[in-house]
């Protein structure tokens, strides 16, 4: 009896494990048909830019809002902003640094958001990369003037954070991901915000910006309302509101860039807010550039289970049936048309499904072509470290899930090509 029980237990464990284990085999991808970005709800083909802009684009945005990321439940403007620190001798005297405090107020609530901006000297209005950081503004460089975030952060053994509070010990720990020297010397600025100041990255809707939008007694977003990705995307659009007020920044040349979960966020922000001139997704994977229907590496179910607060509740309905989704992620890329978009993968980042990231660029191409723009014209993935830089850009580089010097080099080239005309 005991032996039987142990064998059954072993069997159940193996079964659960194999169910949980991600698939990395192309041959095991279920058959799928992608929804056509160029067919209206009623089946009419979209064959001109006006129909795309007036009807199909809003339809697709509505589908992503309702089924994937959730709708922003209202409007809220920046209540006040102030440059709280400034230097013209930053980064060894090569750049201007500004730290701007944005405040959001509603009734008795107030949220403070710190933006760190570096700008090249001697450029009147600088084009700029806007990108969230994962661990606090003070982690992107060692400059001791950078304010340390007071918001909730992840605990981290390496930097000794065990009470969710950042400290000076993590100054500069992520500077490898921010090639400031290259960015500034190429004539670009960089603006960054710690994403947790907009909404701490945990399954808790009582903090961050969410409560500002609740009706009386509401405790969490309704099933079709925003999860954290939409809230973070909203934060990026507020950064853009600020740039419109800062005469040192070229508001028509703002690039929104993000890595991983923040790459998902930059795509969604870039899709919704057409003020972003160029959009970059670095290793954004599932819920970002990767096609959901391939179910390779991270799946929608896996993401919704591990990170239930990222998307809206309605998305869970597709966990077992991604084919029923009225959208797939190529349509998110298509929403950015005709603006340039760059999708970057890493060869060892199988979890993010590099091929699925590439294919969404490929399948978004007909929408770019409607505008007379060149997207990705071959279904064959390029070799590693051989970027494509049409209006849709793509590369797969050697190495892991990360943001590297190589990535920044390509982003600067791409921005030079498309924004410096
Ligand atoms: C996890 C998650 C991914 C996400 C990544 C990140 O790996 O499964 O969806 O992109 O974290 O943000 O680093």
């Amino acid at each position: 009896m005991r032996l039987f029980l142990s064998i059954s237990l072993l069997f159940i464990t193996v079964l659960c494990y194999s169910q949980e284990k991600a698939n990395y085999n192309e041959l095991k991808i279920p058959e799928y048909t992608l929804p056509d970005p160029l067919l209206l709800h009623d089946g009419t083909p979209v064959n001109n830019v006006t129909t795309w802009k007036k009807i199909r684009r809003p339809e697709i945005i509505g589908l992503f809002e309702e089924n994937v990321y959730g709708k922003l439940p209202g409007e809220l403007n920046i209540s006040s902003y102030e440059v709280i620190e400034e230097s013209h001798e930053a980064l060894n005297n090569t750049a201007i640094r500004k730290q701007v405090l944005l405040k959001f107020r509603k009734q008795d609530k107030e949220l403070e958001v710190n933006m760190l901006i570096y700008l090249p000297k001697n450029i009147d209005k600088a084009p700029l990369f806007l990108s969230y950081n994962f661990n606090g503004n003070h982690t992107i460089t060692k400059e001791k003037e950078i304010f340390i975030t007071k918001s909730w952060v992840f605990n981290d053994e390496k930097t000794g954070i065990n009470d969710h509070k950042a400290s000076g010990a993590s100054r500069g720990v992520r500077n490898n991901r921010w090639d400031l020297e290259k960015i500034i010397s190429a004539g670009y600025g960089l603006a960054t915000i710690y994403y947790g100041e907009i909404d701490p990255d945990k399954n808790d809707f009582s903090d961050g910006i969410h409560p500002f939008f609740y009706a009386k007694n509401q405790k969490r977003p309704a099933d079709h309302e925003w999860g954290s990705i939409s809230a973070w995307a909203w934060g990026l659009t507020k950064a853009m509101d600020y740039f419109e007020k800062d005469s040192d920044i070229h508001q028509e040349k703002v690039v929104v860039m993000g890595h991983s979960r923040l790459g998902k966020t930059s795509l969604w922000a870039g899709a919704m807010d057409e003020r972003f001139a160029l959009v970059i997704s670095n290793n954004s994977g599932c819920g970002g550039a990767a096609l959901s229907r391939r179910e390779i590496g991270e799946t929608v179910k896996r993401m919704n289970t591990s990170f239930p607060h990222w998307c809206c509740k309605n998305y869970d309905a597709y966990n077992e049936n991604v084919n029923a989704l009225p959208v797939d992620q190529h349509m998110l890329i298509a929403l950015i048309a005709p603006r340039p978009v760059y999708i970057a993968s890493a060869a060892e980042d199988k979890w993010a499904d590099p091929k699925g990231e590439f294919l969404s660029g490929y399948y978004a191409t007909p929408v770019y072509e409607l505008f007379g723009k060149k997207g990705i014209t071959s279904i064959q993935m390029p070799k590693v470290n051989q970027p494509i830089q049409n209006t849709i850009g793509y590369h797969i580089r050697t190495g892991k899930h990360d943001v590297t010097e190589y990535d920044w080099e390509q982003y600067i080239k791409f921005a030079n090509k498309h924004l410096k005309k």
Side-chain angles (χ1 to χ4, degrees):
M1 180 66 179
R2 236 195 229 156
L3 183 69
F4 174 72
L5 269 179
S6 328
I7 291 174
S8 328
L9 261 179
L10 184 71
F11 179 70
I12 290 168
T13 316
V14 170
L15 189 75
C16 290
Y17 180 67
S18 61
Q19 276 175 349
E20 286 306 311
K21 234 180 127 192
N23 171 42
Y24 289 109
N25 183 349
E26 287 282 325
L27 300 174
K28 289 196 181 145
I29 293 177
E31 249 183 65
Y32 64 86
T33 311
L34 292 176
D36 187 341
L38 290 177
L39 270 191
L40 299 182
H41 265 330
D42 68 6
T44 316
V46 177
N47 43 29
N48 60 66
V49 166
T50 313
T51 314
W52 167 261
K53 283 191 184 160
K54 293 242 157 75
I55 307 177
R56 186 56 174 154
R57 189 171 183 280
E59 261 182 21
I60 298 177
I61 291 186
L63 293 172
F64 275 107
E65 287 178 334
E66 184 67 25
N67 301 285
V68 181
Y69 305 111
K71 196 173 167 55
L72 276 58
E75 290 206 4
L76 181 65
N77 292 324
I78 300 172
S79 311
S80 68
Y81 64 89
E82 192 189 341
V83 177
I84 49 174
E85 193 269 342
E86 188 167 3
S87 160
H88 284 242
E89 280 146 26
L91 305 175
N92 299 323
N93 212 7
T94 61
I96 298 166
R97 181 186 62 237
K98 292 200 222 191
Q99 298 191 68
V100 186
L101 181 63
L102 308 176
K103 287 191 182 170
F104 297 93
R105 273 186 223 106
K106 198 167 179 188
Q107 284 132 17
D108 57 341
K109 293 184 197 65
E110 184 173 271
L111 186 77
E112 294 195 345
V113 176
N114 289 275
M115 176 150 55
L116 167 63
I117 306 176
Y118 285 105
L119 296 170
K121 288 187 176 186
N122 312 322
I123 295 189
D124 265 357
K125 271 180 168 293
L128 163 140
F129 289 94
L130 165 66
S131 185
Y132 274 127
N133 64 74
F134 274 86
N135 306 81
N137 294 349
H138 67 289
T139 62
I140 81 150
T141 117
K142 288 211 157 55
E143 291 202 310
K144 58 181 188 324
E145 295 85 355
I146 317 281
F147 299 116
I148 295 176
T149 183
K150 296 189 192 91
S151 296
W152 181 97
V153 292
F154 282 108
N155 284 340
D156 180 0
E157 265 177 37
K158 259 196 267 156
T159 51
I161 300 172
N162 51 28
D163 52 359
H164 297 291
K165 287 201 178 69
S167 75
S170 49
R171 231 177 242 297
V173 289
R174 288 292 186 155
N175 63 358
N176 57 310
R177 282 193 175 169
W178 302 85
D179 205 334
L180 279 167
E181 211 186 301
K182 253 198 205 90
I183 296 170
I184 297 292
S185 63
Y188 291 87
L190 174 88
T192 188
I193 295 172
Y194 168 51
Y195 78 133
E197 291 194 357
I198 297 288
D199 184 32
D201 191 358
K202 52 189 161 108
N203 188 14
D204 172 357
F205 286 104
S206 66
D207 52 13
I209 197 65
H210 280 104
F212 286 65
F213 292 84
Y214 289 155
K216 206 167 171 247
N217 298 327
Q218 190 179 356
K219 294 274 183 301
R220 54 162 300 129
D223 292 357
H224 68 287
E225 282 177 348
W226 61 355
S228 294
I229 290 179
S230 275
W232 299 324
W234 172 88
L236 293 171
T237 71
K238 294 295 127 179
M240 190 71 208
D241 288 355
Y242 167 77
F243 300 148
E244 291 185 333
K245 299 181 168 86
D246 186 332
S247 57
D248 294 339
I249 292 165
H250 201 315
Q251 62 188 68
E252 271 138 41
K253 296 191 176 185
V254 175
V255 178
V256 63
M257 179 274 188
H259 170 60
S260 212
R261 67 198 68 182
L262 300 176
K264 311 181 205 298
T265 304
S266 68
L267 285 173
W268 180 223
M272 281 188 296
D273 189 336
E274 294 182 284
R275 293 174 299 171
F276 291 114
L278 192 155
V279 184
I280 300 173
S281 143
N282 193 89
N283 307 176
S284 62
C286 183
L291 291 176
S292 305
R293 279 171 173 74
R294 281 172 45 85
E295 301 212 86
I296 199 160
E298 185 172 28
T299 59
V300 168
K301 178 181 177 189
R302 190 73 175 252
M303 184 177 78
N304 283 341
T305 312
S306 313
F307 308 99
H309 57 294
W310 283 2
C311 294
C312 71
K313 261 266 131 296
N314 282 345
Y315 203 19
D316 290 349
Y318 302 96
N319 283 349
E320 305 293 345
N321 185 10
V322 278
N323 283 301
L325 266 170
V327 288
D328 209 315
Q329 300 305 109
H330 62 308
M331 292 157 85
L332 182 64
I333 307 297
L335 287 175
I336 299 165
R339 292 164 295 148
V341 57
Y342 199 107
I343 303 167
S345 308
E348 290 171 39
D349 187 16
K350 300 263 189 272
W351 183 240
D353 184 17
K355 185 157 185 200
E357 294 181 315
F358 168 77
L359 286 176
S360 70
Y362 174 75
Y363 289 115
T365 293
V367 179
Y368 276 77
E369 286 172 348
L370 199 65
F371 286 88
K373 303 279 181 190
K374 192 167 173 188
I376 291 181
T377 47
S378 162
I379 199 167
Q380 281 307 314
M381 271 180 92
K383 297 214 171 70
V384 282
N385 303 335
Q386 294 198 7
I388 298 173
Q389 297 215 343
N390 300 327
T391 307
I392 302 180
Y394 178 81
H395 74 237
I396 175 163
R397 61 155 170 79
T398 42
K400 294 202 277 273
H401 187 73
D402 201 356
V403 190
T404 67
E405 244 183 275
Y406 180 87
D407 294 319
W408 280 112
E409 267 164 34
Q410 311 320 313
Y411 301 153
I412 290 168
K413 265 192 215 154
F414 191 66
N416 285 345
K417 181 167 175 186
H418 295 286
L419 298 185
K420 286 219 168 154
K421 280 176 221 156

